[in-house]
Amino acid sequence: GQQVMQIPQYQHVQEGEDFTTYCNSSTTLSNIQWYKQRPGGHPVFLIQLVKSGEVKKQKRLTFQFGEAKKNSSLHITATQTTDVGTYFCAGLNYSSASKIIFGSGTRLSIRP
Amino acid sequence: SAVISQKPSRDICQRGTSLTIQCQVDSQVTMMFWYRQQPGQSLTLIATANQGSEATYESGFVIDKFPISRPNLTFSTLTVSNMSPEDSSIYLCSGQRTGGLNTEAFFGQGTRLTVV
C-alpha cells in the first residue's frame, strides 16, 4: 500500500535557526497536504499543494511539491518557539478512494 | 473547514469492555475517517466511515474489533470492542470534503483511551 515517509524524525534547533522537513511518497499523489500538531492537540491543516513543482509560502513557511508529485518539503525560516510541534505531510490519491495517508512526522523542538 | 465535536475526550476502561466514541460535524461532509495515534507516532488510518453502508477497513483492522456507524453525513461512531491494553491510544475522527479545490481533513479533538 501507499507509504509516506518523512525525515528527519526529530529536529532540535536554536530559536532563530531554520528548519526543513522532507516528505517522500511511494506513489504519485493527487495532492499533498501539510498539518501541524501541537503537543496534546490534534492535527491542524496548514496547506495543500496540487500542481507539479508548486511552491507556496505562508509567512516564514515555504512549501514545495516535487516535479514528480511524489515528494515535498516544508521549510521554516527563523524558527520561533510558537513553531514547536510535529509537522506531518499527508498524501491524497484520488485513485485510492480519496484517503489521506499521513507521513511519519517530524517533531520540532526549539531552544529559546 | 468545519468543526467536529468528539467525545469522550478521554476514558479509562477495563479490559474486555467496549467503548463507543462519537463524532458530530457541524456541517455535511463527504468523507469521514477514523485514525489511531500512539503517543509520539503518526496517524494510522483505521477505516473510512461510509454513510449508510459498511465501513471500509484498512489492513490490520476488522469490523468485529472496530465497528463503525455513519447514519448520516454529519455523525459517526467508532466502537473499540473487547478492549485490551494494546488498544490504549488516541483515536481521532476526521471529516473531509471532496470535489472542490480544498480536500483537507479537519479533526476532532481526539479520545485518549487507556485500557487497564
Short mmCIF file of all heavy atoms in Angstrom, two decimals, chain A residues 9-10 31 33 35 37 40-45 48 50 88 92 94 97-105 107, chain B residues 31 33 35 37 39-43 45 48 58 92 96 98 100-110 112:
data_model
loop_
_atom_site.label_atom_id
_atom_site.label_comp_id
_atom_site.label_asym_id
_atom_site.label_seq_id
_atom_site.Cartn_x
_atom_site.Cartn_y
_atom_site.Cartn_z
N GLN A 9 13.15 12.48 11.77
CA GLN A 9 12.09 12.14 12.72
C GLN A 9 11.99 13.21 13.80
O GLN A 9 10.90 13.53 14.26
CB GLN A 9 12.39 10.78 13.34
CG GLN A 9 11.27 10.24 14.22
CD GLN A 9 11.58 8.84 14.73
OE1 GLN A 9 12.66 8.29 14.48
NE2 GLN A 9 10.64 8.25 15.45
N TYR A 10 13.14 13.73 14.21
CA TYR A 10 13.20 14.78 15.22
C TYR A 10 14.16 15.86 14.75
O TYR A 10 15.12 15.58 14.04
CB TYR A 10 13.73 14.24 16.57
CG TYR A 10 12.95 13.09 17.14
CD1 TYR A 10 13.41 11.79 16.98
CD2 TYR A 10 11.78 13.31 17.85
CE1 TYR A 10 12.70 10.73 17.52
CE2 TYR A 10 11.08 12.25 18.40
CZ TYR A 10 11.55 10.96 18.22
OH TYR A 10 10.85 9.91 18.75
N ASN A 31 -2.56 15.20 -4.53
CA ASN A 31 -2.10 16.41 -3.87
C ASN A 31 -1.39 16.04 -2.58
O ASN A 31 -1.43 14.89 -2.15
CB ASN A 31 -3.26 17.40 -3.60
CG ASN A 31 -4.26 16.92 -2.57
OD1 ASN A 31 -3.88 16.47 -1.49
ND2 ASN A 31 -5.53 17.03 -2.89
N GLN A 33 -0.66 17.50 1.43
CA GLN A 33 -1.11 18.44 2.44
C GLN A 33 -0.11 18.42 3.59
O GLN A 33 0.58 17.43 3.81
CB GLN A 33 -2.51 18.04 2.93
CG GLN A 33 -3.51 17.97 1.79
CD GLN A 33 -4.82 17.33 2.20
OE1 GLN A 33 -5.07 17.08 3.38
NE2 GLN A 33 -5.69 17.08 1.24
N TYR A 35 0.21 19.34 7.80
CA TYR A 35 -0.51 19.56 9.04
C TYR A 35 0.50 19.82 10.16
O TYR A 35 1.63 19.34 10.13
CB TYR A 35 -1.35 18.33 9.42
CG TYR A 35 -2.48 18.05 8.46
CD1 TYR A 35 -2.25 17.42 7.24
CD2 TYR A 35 -3.79 18.41 8.78
CE1 TYR A 35 -3.29 17.17 6.35
CE2 TYR A 35 -4.83 18.16 7.90
CZ TYR A 35 -4.58 17.53 6.70
OH TYR A 35 -5.61 17.29 5.83
N GLN A 37 0.72 19.56 14.41
CA GLN A 37 0.09 19.07 15.62
C GLN A 37 0.90 19.55 16.82
O GLN A 37 2.06 19.17 17.00
CB GLN A 37 0.00 17.54 15.62
CG GLN A 37 -0.77 16.96 16.80
CD GLN A 37 -0.94 15.44 16.68
OE1 GLN A 37 -0.14 14.76 16.05
NE2 GLN A 37 -1.98 14.90 17.30
N GLY A 40 -0.24 17.51 22.63
CA GLY A 40 -1.55 17.39 23.27
C GLY A 40 -2.72 17.79 22.39
O GLY A 40 -3.87 17.69 22.82
N GLY A 41 -2.45 18.24 21.18
CA GLY A 41 -3.52 18.69 20.30
C GLY A 41 -3.79 17.72 19.16
O GLY A 41 -3.23 16.64 19.10
N HIS A 42 -4.66 18.15 18.27
CA HIS A 42 -4.95 17.35 17.10
C HIS A 42 -4.34 18.01 15.87
O HIS A 42 -4.01 19.19 15.90
CB HIS A 42 -6.47 17.18 16.93
CG HIS A 42 -7.20 18.48 16.79
ND1 HIS A 42 -7.61 19.21 17.87
CD2 HIS A 42 -7.58 19.18 15.70
CE1 HIS A 42 -8.22 20.30 17.45
NE2 HIS A 42 -8.21 20.30 16.14
N PRO A 43 -4.15 17.25 14.80
CA PRO A 43 -3.55 17.86 13.59
C PRO A 43 -4.41 18.98 13.04
O PRO A 43 -5.64 18.87 12.97
CB PRO A 43 -3.48 16.68 12.62
CG PRO A 43 -3.52 15.46 13.48
CD PRO A 43 -4.39 15.82 14.63
N VAL A 44 -3.74 20.04 12.63
CA VAL A 44 -4.42 21.20 12.05
C VAL A 44 -3.86 21.43 10.66
O VAL A 44 -2.64 21.48 10.47
CB VAL A 44 -4.22 22.45 12.93
CG1 VAL A 44 -4.83 23.67 12.24
CG2 VAL A 44 -4.86 22.25 14.30
N PHE A 45 -4.73 21.57 9.71
CA PHE A 45 -4.35 21.76 8.32
C PHE A 45 -3.58 23.07 8.14
O PHE A 45 -3.97 24.12 8.65
CB PHE A 45 -5.62 21.76 7.47
CG PHE A 45 -5.40 22.09 6.02
CD1 PHE A 45 -4.92 21.12 5.15
CD2 PHE A 45 -5.72 23.34 5.52
CE1 PHE A 45 -4.75 21.41 3.80
CE2 PHE A 45 -5.56 23.64 4.18
CZ PHE A 45 -5.07 22.68 3.32
N GLN A 48 -2.30 22.99 1.18
CA GLN A 48 -2.43 21.92 0.21
C GLN A 48 -1.69 22.34 -1.06
O GLN A 48 -1.82 23.47 -1.52
CB GLN A 48 -3.90 21.68 -0.11
CG GLN A 48 -4.16 20.70 -1.24
CD GLN A 48 -5.64 20.47 -1.44
OE1 GLN A 48 -6.30 19.85 -0.62
NE2 GLN A 48 -6.16 20.97 -2.55
N VAL A 50 -1.05 21.13 -5.10
CA VAL A 50 -1.69 20.28 -6.10
C VAL A 50 -0.85 20.11 -7.36
O VAL A 50 -0.78 19.02 -7.93
CB VAL A 50 -3.07 20.86 -6.48
CG1 VAL A 50 -3.75 20.02 -7.55
CG2 VAL A 50 -3.97 20.96 -5.25
N PHE A 88 3.35 17.06 9.91
CA PHE A 88 3.02 15.89 9.10
C PHE A 88 2.74 16.31 7.67
O PHE A 88 1.98 17.25 7.44
CB PHE A 88 1.77 15.18 9.62
CG PHE A 88 1.92 14.52 10.97
CD1 PHE A 88 1.45 15.15 12.11
CD2 PHE A 88 2.50 13.28 11.08
CE1 PHE A 88 1.57 14.55 13.34
CE2 PHE A 88 2.62 12.66 12.31
CZ PHE A 88 2.16 13.30 13.45
N LEU A 92 -2.68 12.53 -0.68
CA LEU A 92 -4.01 12.11 -1.12
C LEU A 92 -3.91 11.63 -2.55
O LEU A 92 -3.30 12.27 -3.40
CB LEU A 92 -5.00 13.27 -1.02
CG LEU A 92 -6.46 12.93 -1.33
CD1 LEU A 92 -7.39 13.79 -0.49
CD2 LEU A 92 -6.80 13.09 -2.81
N TYR A 94 -6.52 10.27 -5.45
CA TYR A 94 -7.93 10.08 -5.78
C TYR A 94 -8.22 8.66 -6.24
O TYR A 94 -9.35 8.20 -6.13
CB TYR A 94 -8.37 11.08 -6.85
CG TYR A 94 -8.47 12.49 -6.35
CD1 TYR A 94 -7.74 13.51 -6.91
CD2 TYR A 94 -9.31 12.80 -5.27
CE1 TYR A 94 -7.83 14.81 -6.43
CE2 TYR A 94 -9.41 14.09 -4.79
CZ TYR A 94 -8.66 15.09 -5.38
OH TYR A 94 -8.75 16.37 -4.91
N ALA A 97 -9.58 6.12 -3.29
CA ALA A 97 -10.80 6.49 -2.56
C ALA A 97 -10.63 7.75 -1.72
O ALA A 97 -11.25 7.88 -0.68
CB ALA A 97 -11.26 5.33 -1.68
N SER A 98 -9.77 8.65 -2.17
CA SER A 98 -9.59 9.95 -1.52
C SER A 98 -9.15 9.84 -0.07
O SER A 98 -9.39 10.75 0.72
CB SER A 98 -10.88 10.78 -1.61
OG SER A 98 -11.16 11.09 -2.95
N LYS A 99 -8.50 8.75 0.28
CA LYS A 99 -7.95 8.63 1.62
C LYS A 99 -6.71 9.49 1.74
O LYS A 99 -5.92 9.61 0.82
CB LYS A 99 -7.57 7.17 1.92
CG LYS A 99 -8.73 6.21 1.95
CD LYS A 99 -8.26 4.81 2.27
CE LYS A 99 -7.34 4.26 1.21
NZ LYS A 99 -7.02 2.84 1.45
N ILE A 100 -6.55 10.08 2.91
CA ILE A 100 -5.34 10.84 3.20
C ILE A 100 -4.43 9.96 4.03
O ILE A 100 -4.82 9.50 5.11
CB ILE A 100 -5.66 12.14 3.94
CG1 ILE A 100 -6.50 13.07 3.05
CG2 ILE A 100 -4.38 12.84 4.38
CD1 ILE A 100 -6.94 14.34 3.75
N ILE A 101 -3.23 9.72 3.53
CA ILE A 101 -2.26 8.89 4.24
C ILE A 101 -1.20 9.81 4.83
O ILE A 101 -0.53 10.55 4.10
CB ILE A 101 -1.61 7.86 3.31
CG1 ILE A 101 -2.69 6.98 2.66
CG2 ILE A 101 -0.61 7.01 4.09
CD1 ILE A 101 -3.54 6.21 3.63
N PHE A 102 -1.07 9.75 6.13
CA PHE A 102 -0.16 10.64 6.82
C PHE A 102 1.27 10.12 6.82
O PHE A 102 1.52 8.91 6.92
CB PHE A 102 -0.62 10.86 8.26
CG PHE A 102 -1.70 11.89 8.37
CD1 PHE A 102 -3.00 11.58 8.00
CD2 PHE A 102 -1.42 13.17 8.80
CE1 PHE A 102 -4.00 12.53 8.06
CE2 PHE A 102 -2.41 14.13 8.87
CZ PHE A 102 -3.70 13.82 8.50
N GLY A 103 2.21 11.06 6.67
CA GLY A 103 3.61 10.72 6.81
C GLY A 103 3.97 10.44 8.25
O GLY A 103 3.14 10.59 9.16
N SER A 104 5.19 10.04 8.44
CA SER A 104 5.65 9.64 9.77
C SER A 104 5.86 10.82 10.71
O SER A 104 5.93 10.64 11.92
CB SER A 104 6.94 8.83 9.65
OG SER A 104 7.84 9.44 8.74
N GLY A 105 5.95 12.02 10.17
CA GLY A 105 6.03 13.21 11.00
C GLY A 105 7.43 13.60 11.39
O GLY A 105 8.34 12.76 11.50
N ARG A 107 9.14 15.90 14.46
CA ARG A 107 8.89 16.65 15.68
C ARG A 107 9.94 17.74 15.83
O ARG A 107 11.14 17.45 15.86
CB ARG A 107 8.92 15.73 16.90
CG ARG A 107 8.57 16.44 18.20
CD ARG A 107 8.69 15.53 19.40
NE ARG A 107 7.85 14.35 19.26
CZ ARG A 107 7.85 13.36 20.15
NH1 ARG A 107 8.63 13.40 21.20
NH2 ARG A 107 7.06 12.33 19.96
N MET B 31 -16.68 12.79 3.33
CA MET B 31 -15.95 11.65 3.86
C MET B 31 -15.73 11.83 5.35
O MET B 31 -15.50 12.94 5.83
CB MET B 31 -14.57 11.52 3.18
CG MET B 31 -14.57 11.68 1.67
SD MET B 31 -15.03 10.21 0.79
CE MET B 31 -13.65 9.14 1.10
N PHE B 33 -13.39 9.73 8.45
CA PHE B 33 -12.39 8.69 8.67
C PHE B 33 -12.10 8.57 10.17
O PHE B 33 -12.30 9.52 10.93
CB PHE B 33 -11.07 9.06 7.97
CG PHE B 33 -11.18 9.24 6.49
CD1 PHE B 33 -11.40 10.50 5.95
CD2 PHE B 33 -11.03 8.17 5.63
CE1 PHE B 33 -11.49 10.68 4.57
CE2 PHE B 33 -11.11 8.34 4.25
CZ PHE B 33 -11.35 9.60 3.73
N TYR B 35 -8.90 7.45 12.74
CA TYR B 35 -7.47 7.21 12.86
C TYR B 35 -7.13 6.80 14.28
O TYR B 35 -7.84 7.14 15.23
CB TYR B 35 -6.66 8.48 12.53
CG TYR B 35 -6.70 8.94 11.10
CD1 TYR B 35 -7.73 9.76 10.65
CD2 TYR B 35 -5.70 8.59 10.20
CE1 TYR B 35 -7.75 10.21 9.33
CE2 TYR B 35 -5.71 9.04 8.89
CZ TYR B 35 -6.74 9.85 8.47
OH TYR B 35 -6.76 10.29 7.16
N GLN B 37 -3.67 7.03 16.88
CA GLN B 37 -2.35 7.64 17.02
C GLN B 37 -1.76 7.26 18.36
O GLN B 37 -2.27 7.66 19.41
CB GLN B 37 -2.43 9.16 16.88
CG GLN B 37 -1.07 9.84 16.91
CD GLN B 37 -1.17 11.34 16.71
OE1 GLN B 37 -2.12 11.99 17.13
NE2 GLN B 37 -0.14 11.92 16.08
N PRO B 39 1.11 7.73 21.19
CA PRO B 39 1.86 8.91 21.59
C PRO B 39 3.19 9.01 20.86
O PRO B 39 3.96 8.05 20.79
CB PRO B 39 2.06 8.69 23.09
CG PRO B 39 0.90 7.84 23.50
CD PRO B 39 0.65 6.92 22.34
N GLY B 40 3.45 10.17 20.28
CA GLY B 40 4.70 10.40 19.57
C GLY B 40 4.78 9.76 18.21
O GLY B 40 5.83 9.82 17.57
N GLN B 41 3.68 9.17 17.75
CA GLN B 41 3.70 8.49 16.46
C GLN B 41 2.78 9.21 15.46
O GLN B 41 2.11 10.18 15.80
CB GLN B 41 3.23 7.04 16.63
CG GLN B 41 4.05 6.23 17.60
CD GLN B 41 5.48 6.06 17.15
OE1 GLN B 41 5.75 5.75 15.99
NE2 GLN B 41 6.42 6.26 18.05
N SER B 42 2.78 8.68 14.25
CA SER B 42 1.93 9.24 13.22
C SER B 42 0.50 8.72 13.35
O SER B 42 0.20 7.93 14.24
CB SER B 42 2.49 8.90 11.85
OG SER B 42 1.74 9.53 10.83
N LEU B 43 -0.33 9.17 12.45
CA LEU B 43 -1.72 8.73 12.44
C LEU B 43 -1.85 7.51 11.53
O LEU B 43 -1.40 7.52 10.39
CB LEU B 43 -2.64 9.84 11.90
CG LEU B 43 -2.92 11.01 12.82
CD1 LEU B 43 -1.75 11.96 12.89
CD2 LEU B 43 -4.16 11.76 12.36
N LEU B 45 -4.56 5.12 9.69
CA LEU B 45 -5.95 5.08 9.27
C LEU B 45 -6.58 3.74 9.63
O LEU B 45 -6.04 2.68 9.25
CB LEU B 45 -6.06 5.32 7.76
CG LEU B 45 -7.45 5.35 7.15
CD1 LEU B 45 -8.28 6.49 7.74
CD2 LEU B 45 -7.38 5.48 5.63
N THR B 48 -12.56 4.03 6.65
CA THR B 48 -13.40 5.07 6.09
C THR B 48 -14.83 4.78 6.51
O THR B 48 -15.34 3.67 6.29
CB THR B 48 -13.32 5.07 4.55
OG1 THR B 48 -11.96 5.23 4.16
CG2 THR B 48 -14.17 6.19 3.95
N GLU B 58 -8.96 -0.62 6.76
CA GLU B 58 -7.58 -0.76 6.30
C GLU B 58 -7.02 -2.09 6.78
O GLU B 58 -7.57 -2.73 7.70
CB GLU B 58 -6.73 0.39 6.81
CG GLU B 58 -7.18 1.75 6.31
CD GLU B 58 -7.12 1.87 4.79
OE1 GLU B 58 -6.04 1.61 4.21
OE2 GLU B 58 -8.16 2.20 4.19
N LEU B 92 -8.85 9.39 16.70
CA LEU B 92 -9.25 10.66 16.08
C LEU B 92 -10.20 10.40 14.94
O LEU B 92 -9.98 9.50 14.12
CB LEU B 92 -8.02 11.38 15.53
CG LEU B 92 -7.02 11.91 16.56
CD1 LEU B 92 -5.62 11.90 15.99
CD2 LEU B 92 -7.39 13.32 16.97
N GLN B 96 -13.84 15.32 5.80
CA GLN B 96 -13.16 15.77 4.58
C GLN B 96 -14.19 16.00 3.51
O GLN B 96 -15.10 15.18 3.32
CB GLN B 96 -12.18 14.67 4.15
CG GLN B 96 -11.27 14.98 2.99
CD GLN B 96 -10.37 13.80 2.70
OE1 GLN B 96 -10.04 13.01 3.59
NE2 GLN B 96 -9.98 13.63 1.46
N THR B 98 -14.83 16.59 -0.60
CA THR B 98 -14.18 16.28 -1.87
C THR B 98 -14.91 17.02 -2.99
O THR B 98 -16.02 17.51 -2.81
CB THR B 98 -14.21 14.78 -2.16
OG1 THR B 98 -15.57 14.33 -2.21
CG2 THR B 98 -13.48 13.99 -1.10
N GLY B 100 -14.04 19.81 -4.43
CA GLY B 100 -13.69 21.21 -4.56
C GLY B 100 -12.18 21.38 -4.63
O GLY B 100 -11.44 20.44 -4.79
N LEU B 101 -11.74 22.62 -4.47
CA LEU B 101 -10.32 22.89 -4.56
C LEU B 101 -9.56 22.38 -3.33
O LEU B 101 -8.42 21.95 -3.41
CB LEU B 101 -10.08 24.39 -4.73
CG LEU B 101 -10.48 24.99 -6.09
CD1 LEU B 101 -10.26 26.49 -6.11
CD2 LEU B 101 -9.72 24.32 -7.22
N ASN B 102 -10.21 22.47 -2.19
CA ASN B 102 -9.56 22.05 -0.95
C ASN B 102 -10.14 20.74 -0.47
O ASN B 102 -11.36 20.59 -0.36
CB ASN B 102 -9.74 23.12 0.13
CG ASN B 102 -8.85 24.32 -0.12
OD1 ASN B 102 -7.71 24.18 -0.55
ND2 ASN B 102 -9.37 25.50 0.14
N THR B 103 -9.26 19.81 -0.21
CA THR B 103 -9.70 18.49 0.25
C THR B 103 -9.08 18.18 1.60
O THR B 103 -8.88 17.02 1.94
CB THR B 103 -9.30 17.41 -0.76
OG1 THR B 103 -7.88 17.47 -0.97
CG2 THR B 103 -10.02 17.61 -2.08
N GLU B 104 -8.79 19.22 2.38
CA GLU B 104 -8.10 18.99 3.65
C GLU B 104 -8.99 18.26 4.63
O GLU B 104 -10.22 18.33 4.57
CB GLU B 104 -7.62 20.30 4.25
CG GLU B 104 -8.70 21.14 4.89
CD GLU B 104 -9.31 22.12 3.92
OE1 GLU B 104 -9.23 21.88 2.71
OE2 GLU B 104 -9.90 23.11 4.39
N ALA B 105 -8.34 17.58 5.57
CA ALA B 105 -9.03 16.92 6.66
C ALA B 105 -9.07 17.84 7.87
O ALA B 105 -8.12 18.56 8.14
CB ALA B 105 -8.33 15.61 7.01
N PHE B 106 -10.17 17.83 8.57
CA PHE B 106 -10.25 18.53 9.84
C PHE B 106 -10.63 17.49 10.89
O PHE B 106 -11.40 16.56 10.62
CB PHE B 106 -11.22 19.70 9.79
CG PHE B 106 -12.47 19.42 9.03
CD1 PHE B 106 -13.60 18.95 9.68
CD2 PHE B 106 -12.53 19.63 7.66
CE1 PHE B 106 -14.76 18.69 8.99
CE2 PHE B 106 -13.70 19.37 6.95
CZ PHE B 106 -14.81 18.88 7.62
N PHE B 107 -10.09 17.68 12.07
CA PHE B 107 -10.13 16.63 13.07
C PHE B 107 -10.93 17.00 14.30
O PHE B 107 -11.02 18.17 14.67
CB PHE B 107 -8.70 16.30 13.52
CG PHE B 107 -7.91 15.54 12.50
CD1 PHE B 107 -7.25 16.21 11.48
CD2 PHE B 107 -7.85 14.16 12.54
CE1 PHE B 107 -6.54 15.51 10.52
CE2 PHE B 107 -7.14 13.45 11.59
CZ PHE B 107 -6.48 14.13 10.58
N GLY B 108 -11.48 15.96 14.92
CA GLY B 108 -11.99 16.11 16.26
C GLY B 108 -10.83 16.25 17.22
O GLY B 108 -9.66 16.10 16.86
N GLN B 109 -11.16 16.53 18.47
CA GLN B 109 -10.14 16.80 19.47
C GLN B 109 -9.42 15.53 19.92
O GLN B 109 -8.39 15.60 20.59
CB GLN B 109 -10.76 17.50 20.68
CG GLN B 109 -11.44 18.81 20.35
CD GLN B 109 -12.93 18.61 20.03
OE1 GLN B 109 -13.35 17.60 19.50
NE2 GLN B 109 -13.72 19.63 20.39
N GLY B 110 -9.97 14.37 19.54
CA GLY B 110 -9.32 13.12 19.91
C GLY B 110 -9.88 12.54 21.19
O GLY B 110 -10.39 13.26 22.06
N ARG B 112 -8.52 10.07 24.18
CA ARG B 112 -7.37 9.37 24.76
C ARG B 112 -7.89 8.20 25.58
O ARG B 112 -8.53 8.39 26.62
CB ARG B 112 -6.55 10.32 25.64
CG ARG B 112 -5.29 9.69 26.23
CD ARG B 112 -4.54 10.71 27.08
NE ARG B 112 -4.01 11.80 26.27
CZ ARG B 112 -2.83 11.81 25.68
NH1 ARG B 112 -2.02 10.76 25.83
NH2 ARG B 112 -2.43 12.84 24.98
#
